[in-house]
Amino acid sequence: MPSVLPLGDPAPADGILPPQVLAGVEHRKFGLYVHIPFCAVRCGYCDFNTYTATELGGGASQDAYAATAVTELDFASLALDASGLPRRPLSTVFFGGGTPTLLPAEDLAGILKAAIGHWGLEPGAEVSTEANPDSVTPESLKILADAGFTRVSFGMQSAVPHVLKVLDRTHTPSRVPLVVQWAREAGLAVSLDLIYGTPGESMADWQLSLETALSYQPDHISAYALIVEDGTKLAAQIRRGEVPGIDDDDHASKYELADRLISEAGLNWYEVSNWSRTPDQACRHNLAYWRGDDWWGIGPGAHSHVGGVRWWNVKHPTAYASRLGNASSPAAGRETLDAETREVERIMLEARLGTGLSVDALGAIGRHAMAGLIADQLVDPVQAFKGRLVLTLKGRLLADAVVRRILPD
Amino acid sequence: MSPMARTAPVPAATDPAIIRNFCIIAHIDHGKSTLADRMLQYTGVVSKRDMKAQYLDRMDIERERGITIKSQAVRMPWELDGNSYALNMIDTPGHVDFTYEVSRSLAACEGAVLLVDAAQGIEAQTLANLYLAMENNLTIIPVLNKIDLPAAQPEKYAAELANLIGGDPEDVLKVSGKTGVGVEALLDKIVRDLPAPVGDPNAPARAMIFDSVYDTYRGVVTYVRVVDGMLHPRERIQMMSTRATHELLEIGVSSPEPTPSKGLGVGEVGYLITGVKDVRQSKVGDTVTNLAKPASESLSGYADAKPMVFSGLYPLDGTDYPVLRDALEKLMLNDAALVYEPETSAALGFGFRVGFLGLLHLEITRERLEREYNLDLISTAPNVEYEVTLEDKKVIHVTNPSEYPTGKISEVREPMVSATILAPNEFVGSIMELCQSRRGQMRGMDYLSEDRVELRYWIPLAEIVFDFFDLLKSKTRGYASLDWKADGEQVADLVKVDILLQGEQVDAFSAITHRDKAYAYGVMMTGKLRELIPRQQFEVPIQAAIGSRIIARESIRAIRKDVLAKCYGGDITRKRKLLEKQKEGKKRMKMVGRVEVPQEAFIAALTTDESKDKAKK
């Protein structure tokens, strides 16, 4: 999650949600996001809310973190109950960071266990964790699988050493096939995360990364364009001219290459930046974000969404731990979306999906825009004929522009 | 040294023999206002305590820019050799655009103080006004100001002035408005050297209007110089050019606050209030007479203000159109030279085509509209008025390129000006180069002093209204000064260059240029727009064309990627807010066909680099 929190309304200390969240709850799945705010090294491009092990103490320390997270799970359970929401089994759980695997596997397992204790798991629930190739072992992966994890997403980023160096990634590329094999042996589905468009990365570098990743036959690939966020070390390096800047055209070419190679390897796009081998292997947790389901985000800076109410926790782990220590909500702010805003979000998010949007559900402006979008080759004409707005390859690269064209003024 | 007058002569009962009417001719920032302030103080009409710096300049913009737009007349008593005198100081506008007003101010005087910065020497506009004064047979008192400055070169510039007006460099007075040195001597010299006004006190009243100012509380305040006869309060007067009659509600002198009097007699200078609300009913240069006993002939020299430069003014926010309309209406009350009519631009929406005396007049008006009426405006590139004769002999006057006829044209005439440029002689080459590139014809060159040159050109007005002055300044490290006055017209080989975005003509960017310059304009504008217009979802060709012939071409490549790649749970709020912002931004875009053009691009494309720098300050 980005380091800068949005501006919102104050969030109540008891975390109780307004009655509007009850409407339609039976149609919404419930998920859990657990943020692990630690990294061995802070990457130069990363603006996520994360800290190196030595930066924090008290309830915010790496050792105490699992216990603090469990405190928020308890708080969440109470607040959801008190808001009148039914207890729904967890459909998906996702551990992200930071580097979740910097915590002992037992800690992650313990947090998951506590969550299951409150809500239980749906049959076939998806439980993922992000992992750095450096910070897993066959044993740790086994512990996770035994605790109920079903899926691991490795931050491979690139197969090219000079690219990894610009990204400040510490792992050696040769470790990736090893960890993929260990995860498979533990019974976990495997996703690889890649980043393209890093300063200094050539088209050949990117092709090598893609081919290498695909040679490990992952079930899922996420490929994200590097975004240089303000305030990061990389942004400063670019500003000082130490590394070259970002070029959108280069990003576009690399995205096109990624889509071609990944598709040829038998995976299909289901969201702008995500491909899976089968529809079942899509990341259901992320799909829940894009489909407006409910989730509670545990951890400093974590965002939550329940029935059109979004909130986000205080950013700093120490402040976060201290709030929970006082039995108070760690939320820094919240926003209650009106029907119109929820519709804007729905269009904005669903437009990115392979399943697209229903054209009939668009407003007059959106429906009117379809012809132009087809003419500009941004929308698939065959799908449009069937009543769905599904982006073409060109359209995926211009998804934001498409969304602007279909939204009411 | 003369003392302050013990008894001030009374208006309406002052012998013309003790009246001295004078003005100060000076360049912007040569210290005219400071000197005027000092005179007000020394003659006792303003106490030191009340002294606001630059008392006579009323408006904020004037004070900030240090220039005088509207003149006023102040009556000051002064005593010399035991006799009391009434001195009328008539303040003149100090800029090239207001030549006509200057000429009328000069016509109200018998003498002029030629005030020149002792560190800079005379400037082109001052020289032009000096020539104007000499043509009006005014007695000139040469004065060097700012002699307290370390950089002052009084000997050098005294010689320059003596050379210009004839006379001895020794006779050039040296003053400092700032410290007051020499100011009393100057007042003495005004009394001694300037002739007293002459007129027939028994003839029907004739007074020349040399300024007309709108005041929110009092209506129009008209400043006059009485030539013959006498004007009294409560009598009916007539404007001789329009035959309009008014009741004289109040008559008086400024000292410097308005002070009602029993009238104004021969040679006197003062103000009239008739209750009219529009300065057009009290035109500069017109003759005021008594309705009951009218003069048979008006005073000579009256002319209507003629706009020379035209520009489209458009509100950035289309909903501000009524505000702009009301604002122009109000400004017009106080600006007889301002003309405007509604205009529509496909690219810019609803606005007005406004005629100005010149570029400064345009800039000041625009600045006042923005500041006093809180408007954000786009002004299109300034244009002159072309006279286009079609093959069927029909004649069209064009002040907006988009009105340029598309049919068969037999002849186009463009307004010409006589331009005077003063500069140190080391820059003569680059000035000549510049003027030649602007189709100027040299009419003469004179040395004012060893190292300063006066160049005279006959040059199309169109060539000097856009960036000429900026270029002149930059080619001469700021030393050159420019003055111009309208001087006929010429037939020229002119064409209209259109700019097309994706095949759609953008009226705001069309220009009328000389055929030889069309290509350069096309290349400049298409290049500028390529930089200014953001990439769209499709390729956008930008073309410059004369009729259907493309003369320059650029293209904006299609944007290929516009998507925030990651969109996790925590990114959604941020992404939605970004989207809302982008939608907001889209509202500020002007659509040209399918191309979204940010308003900033219009502003930047229509602005010279110089004015962009100004905007930054």
Side-chain angles (χ1 to χ4, degrees):
Chain A
M1 68 216 60
S3 60
V4 181
L5 294 177
L7 288 172
D9 307 324
D14 57 11
I16 290 185
L17 295 162
Q20 72 165 80
V21 302
L22 300 176
V25 64
E26 62 279 10
H27 302 301
R28 299 194 305 265
K29 293 186 173 297
F30 180 52
L32 191 69
Y33 172 75
V34 182
H35 185 67
I36 310 295
F38 305 107
C39 283
V41 175
R42 171 133 205 164
C43 300
Y45 64 92
C46 179
D47 77 326
F48 283 17
N49 190 25
T50 184
Y51 301 83
T52 53
T54 50
E55 284 174 340
L56 303 164
S61 75
Q62 213 163 299
D63 293 344
Y65 186 74
T68 310
V70 169
T71 316
E72 189 181 0
L73 288 172
D74 299 341
F75 178 86
S77 171
L78 283 171
L80 291 171
D81 288 352
S83 304
L85 286 156
R87 287 211 177 193
R88 292 168 286 169
L90 292 163
S91 171
T92 61
V93 181
F94 194 102
F95 285 66
T99 308
T101 49
L102 263 194
L103 289 191
E106 291 79 1
D107 280 7
L108 301 182
I111 297 171
L112 179 59
K113 192 177 167 209
I116 293 170
H118 283 298
W119 297 285
L121 283 180
E122 250 186 13
E126 174 195 281
V127 181
S128 309
T129 184
E130 292 178 343
N132 185 319
D134 272 350
S135 61
V136 295
T137 62
E139 295 72 33
S140 68
L141 289 165
K142 183 79 174 40
I143 293 169
L144 294 177
D146 289 346
F149 281 83
T150 63
R151 190 175 175 275
V152 61
S153 177
F154 287 113
M156 171 176 167
Q157 321 306 7
S158 169
V160 181
H162 75 86
V163 174
L164 289 170
K165 188 160 181 291
V166 173
L167 295 174
D168 281 336
R169 299 300 291 209
T170 54
H171 69 266
T172 42
S174 60
R175 198 173 161 87
V176 176
L178 213 57
V179 301
V180 170
Q181 198 190 330
W182 295 341
R184 287 250 162 73
E185 285 166 5
L188 297 167
V190 172
S191 175
L192 295 177
D193 283 355
L194 296 173
I195 288 179
Y196 59 89
T198 300
E201 181 192 58
S202 67
M203 196 55 92
D205 291 336
W206 174 232
Q207 182 161 351
L208 180 64
S209 294
L210 283 164
E211 285 168 348
T212 306
L214 289 165
S215 74
Y216 307 145
Q217 301 196 308
D219 307 299
H220 182 280
I221 285 187
S222 299
Y224 289 109
L226 180 74
I227 293 174
V228 179
E229 302 285 358
D230 289 344
T232 59
K233 178 175 131 196
L234 187 59
Q237 287 171 326
I238 290 172
R239 201 175 55 243
R240 292 194 298 261
E242 291 164 12
V243 294
I246 297 295
D247 174 19
D248 277 347
D249 288 353
D250 173 63
H251 278 187
S253 300
K254 285 175 175 165
Y255 181 83
E256 286 165 1
L257 179 68
D259 187 64
R260 183 162 65 80
L261 294 182
I262 298 171
S263 302
E264 282 170 9
L267 288 80
N268 296 301
W269 80 278
Y270 68 94
E271 193 266 351
V272 168
S273 304
N274 290 278
W275 292 258
S276 68
R277 201 163 286 282
T278 66
D280 290 348
Q281 286 164 324
C283 177
R284 277 148 48 203
H285 185 80
N286 284 345
L287 280 171
Y289 292 154
W290 302 323
R291 287 181 173 149
D293 283 328
D294 292 349
W295 77 89
W296 190 293
I298 299 289
H303 286 239
S304 303
H305 170 256
V306 174
V309 178
R310 296 191 183 283
W311 70 92
W312 41 90
N313 287 348
V314 291
K315 202 181 120 191
H316 200 277
T318 307
Y320 167 76
S322 131
R323 288 269 194 109
L324 286 166
N326 297 328
S328 176
S329 163
R334 73 155 59 156
E335 59 178 0
T336 304
L337 310 175
D338 56 22
E340 198 184 318
T341 312
R342 288 180 81 175
E343 184 60 11
V344 167
E345 285 195 351
R346 185 185 71 78
I347 290 171
M348 172 183 97
L349 296 169
E350 288 189 359
R352 298 166 64 94
L353 299 178
T355 48
L357 289 158
S358 158
V359 174
D360 288 342
L362 291 175
I365 286 179
R367 290 196 302 276
H368 187 72
M370 286 299 286
L373 293 170
I374 293 169
D376 290 343
Q377 298 171 338
L378 299 171
V379 160
D380 182 338
V382 177
Q383 292 288 344
F385 187 69
K386 294 181 191 160
R388 305 291 297 175
L389 181 155
V390 177
L391 298 175
T392 59
L393 175 59
K394 187 178 168 194
R396 277 182 262 156
L397 279 164
L398 294 169
D400 287 2
V402 172
V403 167
R404 288 198 298 275
R405 282 168 67 173
I406 57 180
L407 281 179
D409 284 323
Chain B
M1 267 320 118
S2 304
M4 206 180 279
R6 276 161 299 190
T7 52
V10 180
T14 305
D15 179 356
I18 61 160
I19 294 175
R20 299 291 183 270
N21 295 322
F22 72 99
C23 58
I24 304 175
I25 298 173
H27 187 70
I28 301 163
D29 75 20
H30 277 204
K32 179 173 69 172
S33 299
T34 313
L35 176 66
D37 289 349
R38 196 62 67 187
M39 287 182 172
L40 296 183
Q41 189 194 329
Y42 284 12
T43 56
V45 296
V46 176
S47 71
K48 203 169 178 180
R49 190 165 49 86
D50 292 341
M51 181 65 78
K52 234 192 280 180
Q54 301 191 7
Y55 196 95
L56 291 180
D57 294 351
R58 271 197 190 156
M59 285 186 284
D60 284 347
I61 295 175
E62 293 184 22
R63 194 163 289 139
E64 269 173 36
R65 294 193 167 202
I67 53 175
T68 312
I69 302 166
K70 280 295 179 185
S71 57
Q72 270 184 308
V74 184
R75 182 170 169 130
M76 305 178 288
W78 191 246
E79 197 171 291
L80 180 68
D81 306 329
N83 299 315
S84 286
Y85 293 87
L87 273 50
N88 290 306
M89 174 167 60
I90 294 167
D91 204 11
T92 53
H95 193 271
V96 56
D97 290 356
F98 302 95
T99 309
Y100 176 67
E101 275 85 348
V102 173
S103 78
R104 295 305 85 203
S105 295
L106 294 176
C109 304
E110 279 72 35
V113 172
L114 173 65
L115 186 73
V116 171
D117 186 324
Q120 297 186 58
I122 197 163
E123 306 275 350
Q125 286 142 31
T126 317
L127 187 63
N129 289 343
L130 171 65
Y131 289 153
L132 212 53
M134 287 161 78
E135 280 166 27
N136 277 291
N137 291 321
L138 264 58
T139 303
I140 309 293
I141 300 176
V143 176
L144 286 173
N145 192 17
K146 306 195 188 180
I147 53 155
D148 53 311
L149 288 184
Q153 293 176 273
E155 289 71 29
K156 175 181 171 184
Y157 293 118
E160 193 177 285
L161 293 188
N163 187 29
L164 274 173
I165 57 175
D168 194 325
E170 297 302 309
D171 293 339
V172 176
L173 276 184
K174 296 172 185 68
V175 310
S176 164
K178 195 171 146 205
T179 63
V181 169
V183 174
E184 290 177 328
L186 172 57
L187 288 163
D188 289 352
K189 198 170 168 68
I190 288 168
V191 171
R192 248 185 227 122
D193 289 6
L194 297 195
V198 180
D200 182 351
N202 302 314
R206 289 199 300 174
M208 188 202 59
I209 300 176
F210 63 86
D211 200 3
S212 188
V213 182
Y214 177 78
D215 179 291
T216 323
Y217 301 104
R218 317 214 59 191
V220 172
V221 181
T222 302
Y223 292 89
V224 296
R225 149 76 194 268
V226 178
V227 175
D228 293 321
M230 183 136 185
L231 292 169
H232 302 93
R234 311 314 304 183
E235 68 191 12
R236 281 200 82 77
I237 54 162
Q238 184 169 47
M239 303 298 175
M240 292 187 73
S241 80
T242 60
R243 299 276 151 206
T245 66
H246 307 287
E247 190 186 343
L248 210 47
L249 301 179
E250 185 179 316
I251 186 165
V253 298
S254 308
S255 195
E257 300 302 331
T259 314
S261 69
K262 287 180 181 153
L264 290 174
V266 169
E268 286 194 295
V269 170
Y271 68 89
L272 315 175
I273 289 170
T274 60
V276 303
K277 296 284 182 217
D278 180 349
V279 289
R280 277 167 188 68
Q281 292 174 279
S282 209
K283 293 181 181 176
V284 170
D286 204 351
T287 305
V288 180
T289 192
N290 184 313
L291 182 64
K293 191 188 164 192
S296 53
E297 253 180 76
S298 57
L299 297 160
S300 63
Y302 172 73
D304 259 324
K306 189 172 177 284
M308 301 289 287
V309 175
F310 298 82
S311 170
L313 289 185
Y314 292 84
L316 261 187
D317 179 349
T319 60
D320 278 344
Y321 177 78
V323 183
L324 175 59
R325 187 191 52 215
D326 293 351
L328 281 169
E329 252 168 45
K330 285 199 188 107
L331 282 193
M332 218 174 135
L333 293 178
N334 200 13
D335 189 343
L338 192 68
V339 296
Y340 64 91
E341 57 183 38
E343 171 180 276
T344 320
S345 155
L348 302 175
F350 291 101
F352 293 92
R353 174 111 322 221
V354 188
F356 303 94
L357 295 171
L359 271 192
L360 181 86
H361 189 209
L362 187 163
E363 257 182 60
I364 289 170
T365 305
R366 190 195 146 133
E367 211 170 308
R368 287 190 63 186
L369 288 168
E370 295 203 320
R371 190 184 304 202
E372 295 171 26
Y373 299 91
N374 205 17
L375 286 161
D376 284 323
L377 298 173
I378 298 180
S379 53
T380 62
N383 259 275
V384 300
E385 182 171 350
Y386 297 99
E387 188 185 287
V388 182
T389 309
L390 301 177
E391 281 187 347
D392 62 5
K393 302 288 175 226
K394 209 174 132 198
V395 176
I396 302 169
H397 290 264
V398 176
T399 59
N400 179 349
S402 66
E403 290 163 2
Y404 200 74
T406 45
K408 295 278 182 197
I409 291 166
S410 76
E411 187 182 89
V412 186
R413 302 180 78 81
E414 62 176 340
M416 299 295 290
V417 300
S418 289
T420 306
I421 297 165
L422 298 195
N425 58 359
E426 57 184 298
F427 300 116
V428 164
S430 36
I431 294 169
M432 287 169 64
E433 215 170 58
L434 174 66
C435 291
Q436 265 159 29
S437 76
R438 297 308 178 97
R439 300 187 284 132
Q441 294 170 32
M442 198 185 222
R443 286 289 164 90
M445 180 169 129
D446 285 307
Y447 274 81
L448 297 181
S449 58
E450 270 174 22
D451 57 353
R452 294 228 308 155
V453 178
E454 174 193 354
L455 293 122
R456 290 185 300 279
Y457 273 88
W458 197 55
I459 192 166
L461 174 61
E463 294 284 355
I464 65 167
V465 293
F466 195 49
D467 54 358
F468 181 83
F469 189 59
D470 301 337
L471 282 171
L472 180 66
K473 281 286 184 190
S474 73
K475 281 180 189 291
T476 59
R477 295 207 306 272
Y479 280 112
S481 58
L482 166 75
D483 183 76
W484 58 267
K485 64 174 188 224
D487 188 7
E489 52 186 36
Q490 74 171 11
V491 174
D493 187 10
L494 301 174
V495 291
K496 183 173 86 149
V497 182
D498 290 321
I499 302 293
L500 296 92
L501 277 188
Q502 235 202 3
E504 295 250 357
Q505 189 188 318
V506 188
D507 54 7
F509 296 142
S510 293
I512 297 167
T513 71
H514 192 265
R515 191 177 295 278
D516 296 346
K517 303 271 184 65
Y519 174 72
Y521 176 79
V523 168
M524 183 277 290
M525 200 44 123
T526 52
K528 232 175 175 181
L529 291 173
R530 188 174 63 98
E531 298 300 317
L532 292 168
I533 298 174
R535 293 167 68 182
Q536 317 271 315
Q537 290 152 46
F538 39 84
E539 184 178 305
V540 179
I542 310 172
Q543 297 160 310
I546 300 173
S548 56
R549 191 165 58 89
I550 305 298
I551 56 166
R553 188 193 164 93
E554 289 276 0
S555 135
I556 304 171
R557 283 179 306 139
I559 189 170
R560 291 178 57 203
K561 174 177 170 282
D562 167 28
V563 58
L564 187 59
K566 55 177 184 172
C567 189
Y568 294 134
D571 298 312
I572 295 170
T573 301
R574 175 165 84 147
K575 190 168 169 60
R576 191 192 72 238
K577 291 195 168 169
L578 183 71
L579 184 67
E580 284 161 1
K581 213 169 118 188
Q582 287 169 339
K583 293 287 278 183
E584 247 343 278
K586 196 175 162 181
K587 284 185 195 153
R588 284 179 62 85
M589 297 274 188
K590 298 271 187 190
M591 297 300 294
V592 175
R594 293 182 62 212
V595 184
E596 292 177 357
V597 184
Q599 274 166 332
E600 294 70 32
F602 277 101
I603 299 169
L606 295 171
T607 317
T608 59
D609 293 338
E610 167 77 5
S611 27
K612 255 186 272 171
D613 291 345
K614 269 183 213 156
K616 269 182 220 147
K617 277 177 203 163

